[in-house]
Amino acid sequence: MTIWINEQLDPSGMIHACIASCDEMTAQECYKSFEENLTPEQKSQGWIVQMRTVESWDDVPVNSLKLN
């Protein structure tokens, strides 16, 4: 099973928002939303949005919102 994880990280690498989903389309929409919600100031400070995949729910960060 493929699980898509979207993370919004501050410049130090701390996760501020994380959503995991088994549905790729939902994950793509989440990525777009995370990216659009970063302010220009956050972007200039080094905030990033990343999407990655894992194969097990055990590999999903515990603080994430899990969507099935």
Side-chain angles (χ1 to χ4, degrees), residues 7-60:
E7 299 168 321
Q8 197 175 59
L9 299 110
D10 70 15
S12 71
M14 180 181 282
I15 298 171
H16 285 259
C18 183
I19 296 179
S21 175
C22 292
D23 180 66
E24 185 176 6
M25 182 167 282
T26 299
Q28 294 290 342
E29 290 170 3
C30 178
Y31 180 88
K32 182 179 176 184
S33 175
F34 274 13
E35 185 70 34
E36 290 172 351
N37 286 323
L38 286 178
T39 66
E41 183 178 327
Q42 286 173 312
K43 290 178 182 179
S44 71
Q45 292 172 350
W47 285 64
I48 62 165
V49 174
Q50 70 179 12
M51 183 166 53
R52 60 189 177 95
T53 60
V54 296
E55 300 298 320
S56 167
W57 286 104
D58 293 334
D59 297 324
V60 175

